[in-house]
Amino acid sequence: MQLPVLRGRGVADNPQNRFEPLAYEPDAEERASEEYAPDTRLYRDHTKSILARNNSPDVPFDVSVNPYRGCEHGCVYCLDPRTPILYADMSWRPIGQVEEGDELVGFDEYPAPGRTRKFRKTRVEAVWWSRKPTLRLVTDQADVITTAEHRWLQARNFRWSRADQLAPGHKLRHATVTPDEPFDEDYRVGYVAGMTLGDGTFRYEPGWRSRKLGFPQSYWRVALADPEPLHRLRRFLGTLAIDVELRDFDGGASCRARMAKLETRSLAKLAVSHGLLEHPRDTRSYRRGFVAGFFDAAGHASGSLRISQVDQAVLERVRRYCLTFGFAMQLEDRQLGASTLRLIGSLRDRVRFFSVFQPVIQRKLDSVFGRGMNLAPEVVRAVEPGQTADVIDIQTSTGTFIAGGLATHNCYARPTHEYLGFSAGLDFESRILVKENAPALLRKALSAKSWKPQSIALSGNTDPYQPIERQLRITRGILEVLAEFRNPVGIITKNHLVTRDLDLLAELAAHQAAVVNVSVTTLDPELRAVMEPRTATPARRLDAIRAVADAGIPVGVMVAPVIPGLTDHELPAILEAAAEAGATRASWIPVRLPHAVAPLFEQWLADHRPERREKVLNRIREMRGGALNDARFGARMRGQGIFAEQTGALFRATCKRLGLNAERRPLSSAAFRVPVQPGGQLGLFS
């Protein structure tokens, strides 16, 4: 049938959306439960995949099934937190340090008609963290851990391509990454020397004394219109025991810009300065600082990048320093005025110049923006499967940024909520995606010839026993399929609802193919109510352990997260209560605060446990190497330092005393079978 043409519209039909609202009426039991929230909305998820890969050294399962995707766990993110991104100050810093409001180097998502893309300053509007399977994208100069859906700009046809669409031989747009280097003492001394020789005045010789005794007037002064280098210079001098004050400076009638100066006439400070200026240091940091200071004082960025100075000997010194970093500087000699050093190369060489030396005047750094994005082509060498990892996604005002040296786009792998207009905050606690066909998809996956029987985690992201499971029974349907195939499964949950499915779990356990782990964070019901609302109470969780154990199913307790200074003292009591209820295995994980979670947790402490706030945060920092989080594999699940060691020792001693973890039989897939479906045919030797 031919559809009517609608005036002003290109199509006349609305095909089914991948996600559609799911109406449900909570029953009396759910309404009475602490887990019930009347503003939760459900959406059917019609995606065709069901198995997620979790190849991580920190996770005991390689495959997981997620019947529900909601809260903060429903997203797929972009990049490893260690991936360097290019900031607007031309420094490369790990994306894991990024915050909302930071300014980065971006570019046009799509060029204007007939034009090329240009560099643009871009602002970080949002930051999200999660844990997802990754890919490793390798080029000659880049090695980036990303997710399959993340998009990169191809150099050959300027097309956006997902990471899983790339192959060896494809070319991407690339800028050279410069490792972020500290401003150590050598850099600071070099900067002071470069600024002084670039546009400063220094009048002092060793042995000079007061002008009242007939000696020349002694002073050191740097005067500029740009405030940034003066503030940096004052800060650097302070670390060198030379304290100077910032004051206004009269540049004369010909000077239209307001100027300021740093100045000292102290003979003691001048003596120290003389030693710094007269004894160059033969280090990389000193040369970086010297060129940065000289450029801030005497450099120009409108048009080409150049540095002007009357003293050609000093320019030769600058050129020599630049050459050691791979920059070619052409000297243009002017007999009657200042000579000029000019950077030879393209705009990407200018970006690298700024990144290496780190000058501080923003108006000069901003000379990059608005110019054509002529980044070099970079050949893809490999796209390899990676581990499941903590990954981060950001949203920028241009939709673009540069990560690992490669031109990239905000991740479009957030269809489960971004495409629906959901936010990254409270929406994820009240907008749940439901995969009603999960059992059918799982049956199809387990029936495939490519399936190799192995343990499946239920689930890898969100709790499989969310409140709506009482009615939808999707998790139970998944367990029915697993029982049919006798495929081993491990369940992680905080909710008592797991006891509903003891019949299926016992059936699997008879084949050594089921284990249940119940998470217990605290035995304090009041603390649980504010820390983990809408989860089962501690008493109900212990009841769940007891019921699972009584059904003959191996059950363990996961004490997670252990919060030092708040819940760590409960560790022995939790293990004792769980062992008494029938748990035979146990594990613990210290609290983890990925970047975007840290401020939320700090605010939670301020709201609910203000008297413990500083103690808790300080203890976490001691367990995380001075930070609130450590994303490294291995370390992130155990922490480091004396408190992590003490907690681990207490955990092991308590487990030994209680007999926990004395014998942990692994799950077995030996009984796996592919059941004959109705109407199917038995094998010849079945």
Side-chain angles (χ1 to χ4, degrees):
M1 180 181 70
Q2 186 175 3
L3 294 170
V5 177
L6 301 181
R7 181 177 178 83
R9 302 296 180 186
V11 297
D13 191 20
N14 275 320
Q16 183 187 43
N17 190 285
R18 177 177 165 184
F19 307 107
E20 61 181 19
L22 172 63
Y24 82 104
E25 188 65 29
D27 57 24
E29 181 184 3
E30 183 178 347
R31 288 185 183 276
S33 170
E34 288 188 63
E35 303 168 21
Y36 174 65
D39 63 339
T40 297
R41 296 182 185 178
L42 305 176
Y43 296 85
R44 285 191 177 92
D45 183 348
H46 294 285
T47 51
K48 302 301 182 183
S49 60
I50 189 60
L51 298 179
R53 301 288 170 176
N54 305 293
N55 300 316
S56 166
D58 292 327
V59 177
F61 297 99
D62 293 331
V63 180
S64 64
V65 172
N66 301 286
Y68 302 101
R69 290 188 291 172
C71 301
E72 68 276 14
H73 303 291
C75 320
V76 180
Y77 296 79
C78 290
L79 297 165
D80 184 282
R82 296 163 293 186
T83 305
I85 59 175
L86 185 57
Y87 282 71
D89 64 0
M90 303 300 154
S91 65
W92 293 89
R93 302 198 295 275
I95 192 172
Q97 298 178 4
V98 75
E99 296 181 354
E100 291 185 22
D102 285 351
E103 291 187 330
L104 310 179
V105 174
F107 50 91
D108 295 322
E109 179 183 9
Y110 296 101
R115 304 292 182 88
T116 61
R117 286 179 171 87
K118 298 184 184 298
F119 281 118
R120 307 292 182 189
K121 188 180 292 188
T122 189
R123 183 177 294 274
V124 177
E125 297 178 337
V127 180
W128 300 283
W129 286 73
S130 189
R131 174 177 172 78
K132 288 295 172 181
T134 64
L135 294 177
R136 181 183 176 211
L137 176 59
V138 182
T139 72
D140 288 334
Q141 299 187 61
D143 192 334
V144 180
I145 303 300
T146 182
T147 51
E149 298 84 356
H150 195 67
R151 299 197 302 164
W152 308 88
L153 184 62
Q154 288 207 40
R156 183 171 298 162
N157 53 18
F158 297 98
R159 183 171 62 187
W160 290 107
S161 297
R162 290 162 39 121
D164 60 1
Q165 294 172 335
L166 298 175
H170 286 162
K171 293 182 179 180
L172 305 178
R173 287 286 165 177
H174 180 266
T176 303
V177 176
T178 301
D180 189 29
E181 299 180 69
F183 292 156
D184 57 14
E185 180 178 306
D186 283 0
Y187 183 95
R188 296 193 292 268
V189 171
Y191 191 83
V192 172
M195 283 286 292
T196 302
L197 293 176
D199 195 25
T201 304
F202 187 75
R203 294 183 59 187
Y204 174 80
E205 293 292 340
W208 283 11
R209 297 173 65 188
S210 171
R211 62 184 299 186
K212 295 179 181 179
L213 299 177
F215 289 92
Q217 172 68 61
S218 304
Y219 67 95
W220 169 90
R221 181 175 65 219
V222 171
L224 293 171
D226 294 289
E228 302 104 325
L230 293 177
H231 289 297
R232 174 187 277 189
L233 191 59
R234 182 173 182 267
R235 188 171 67 253
F236 284 1
L237 286 169
T239 66
L240 301 170
I242 304 174
D243 295 322
V244 292
E245 295 298 324
L246 186 64
R247 295 186 174 89
D248 291 337
F249 178 73
D250 184 0
S254 61
C255 181
R256 290 178 292 180
R258 182 178 179 180
M259 298 184 68
K261 68 176 179 179
L262 292 173
E263 183 178 54
T264 184
R265 297 176 184 270
S266 165
L267 292 174
K269 295 176 181 178
L270 292 172
V272 175
S273 301
H274 182 271
L276 298 177
L277 298 175
E278 292 299 318
H279 298 91
R281 303 183 181 186
D282 189 20
T283 65
R284 173 184 174 90
S285 287
Y286 178 88
R287 293 190 291 270
R288 286 179 57 239
F290 186 91
V291 174
F294 203 91
F295 180 79
D296 277 339
H300 309 273
S302 58
S304 61
L305 187 147
R306 61 198 187 280
I307 304 172
S308 299
Q309 172 64 272
V310 174
D311 189 344
Q312 286 198 12
V314 181
L315 287 181
E316 284 290 352
R317 180 178 172 184
V318 174
R319 182 166 71 167
R320 187 169 65 253
Y321 284 175
C322 288
L323 189 60
T324 64
F325 292 92
F327 295 102
M329 305 290 288
Q330 180 179 339
L331 179 62
E332 299 174 352
D333 184 12
R334 292 184 175 84
Q335 297 295 329
L336 300 178
S339 298
T340 298
L341 281 178
R342 195 177 303 275
L343 176 66
I344 300 174
S346 63
L347 187 62
R348 59 179 176 267
D349 295 294
R350 179 183 301 206
V351 171
R352 190 170 77 87
F353 179 95
F354 290 152
S355 297
V356 168
F357 299 117
Q358 286 293 285
V360 74
I361 299 178
Q362 192 61 49
R363 65 175 177 84
K364 296 181 181 180
L365 302 177
D366 287 348
S367 65
V368 168
F369 303 115
R371 296 174 182 263
M373 193 194 70
N374 59 341
L375 297 179
E378 177 77 355
V379 178
V380 175
R381 297 303 180 191
V383 181
E384 304 169 348
Q387 298 175 324
T388 295
D390 292 323
V391 283
I392 185 172
D393 182 23
I394 63 175
Q395 178 179 314
T396 66
S397 54
T398 60
T400 59
F401 59 106
I402 298 177
L406 302 173
T408 188
H409 200 290
N410 286 352
C411 189
Y412 266 82
R414 299 176 60 80
T416 56
H417 42 271
E418 290 287 345
Y419 287 176
L420 292 169
F422 292 164
S423 76
L426 191 59
D427 279 353
F428 296 111
E429 299 180 16
S430 56
R431 306 295 185 265
I432 307 299
L433 299 174
V434 177
K435 191 165 289 189
E436 289 184 293
N437 60 345
L441 292 174
L442 181 61
R443 179 176 284 106
K444 181 179 179 180
L446 298 185
S447 300
K449 293 182 179 180
S450 59
W451 172 249
K452 297 179 181 179
Q454 58 186 295
S455 299
I456 290 177
L458 183 61
S459 60
N461 287 335
T462 55
D463 198 311
Y465 289 100
Q466 297 191 28
I468 188 59
E469 169 62 20
R470 287 189 179 90
Q471 286 197 41
L472 297 186
R473 302 170 68 86
I474 300 174
T475 296
R476 181 169 179 84
I478 289 172
L479 288 175
E480 289 172 346
V481 173
L482 292 171
E484 287 180 38
F485 285 79
R486 297 176 182 170
N487 194 95
V489 62
I491 290 179
I492 304 172
T493 185
K494 295 180 178 180
N495 289 314
H496 188 270
L497 186 57
V498 66
T499 59
R500 180 201 61 187
D501 297 329
L502 292 180
D503 56 333
L504 296 172
L505 291 169
E507 185 179 336
L508 283 163
H511 301 285
Q512 199 176 322
V515 64
V516 174
N517 288 285
V518 178
S519 174
V520 180
T521 307
T522 178
L523 297 178
D524 182 349
E526 294 183 2
L527 179 58
R528 193 281 318 174
V530 295
M531 187 166 62
E532 295 180 328
R534 302 183 64 204
T535 60
T537 64
R540 293 275 285 171
R541 298 190 203 189
L542 293 174
D543 285 343
I545 292 176
R546 184 173 292 105
V548 173
D550 289 346
I553 303 159
V555 60
V557 59
M558 179 181 291
V559 188
V562 174
I563 304 175
L566 185 62
T567 66
D568 53 341
H569 68 283
E570 293 192 72
L571 183 60
I574 293 173
L575 294 175
E576 290 171 0
E580 183 181 353
T584 58
R585 58 184 69 194
S587 61
W588 76 282
I589 301 175
V591 64
R592 297 178 57 235
L593 300 174
H595 191 73
V597 178
L600 298 177
F601 182 72
E602 291 184 66
Q603 185 61 50
W604 181 89
L605 286 171
D607 292 339
H608 298 284
R609 294 294 186 273
E611 74 285 358
R612 292 180 175 265
R613 181 178 182 276
E614 291 306 316
K615 179 180 180 180
V616 171
L617 294 176
N618 289 336
R619 288 281 179 90
I620 293 174
R621 291 188 182 98
E622 291 184 33
M623 296 179 71
R624 298 297 186 185
L628 289 177
N629 192 55
D630 184 352
R632 295 175 300 162
F633 286 121
R636 65 199 183 98
M637 293 298 190
R638 284 294 173 264
Q640 60 184 347
I642 185 170
F643 289 112
E645 294 171 3
Q646 289 178 347
T647 305
L650 178 62
F651 171 81
R652 291 188 295 272
T654 307
C655 286
K656 184 177 181 180
R657 173 170 60 86
L658 298 172
L660 294 170
N661 296 330
E663 180 183 2
R664 297 188 62 161
R665 298 175 63 189
L667 293 177
S668 173
S669 58
F672 179 85
R673 63 181 181 179
V674 178
V676 177
Q677 301 301 317
Q681 181 177 343
L682 292 173
L684 181 62
F685 300 103
S686 296

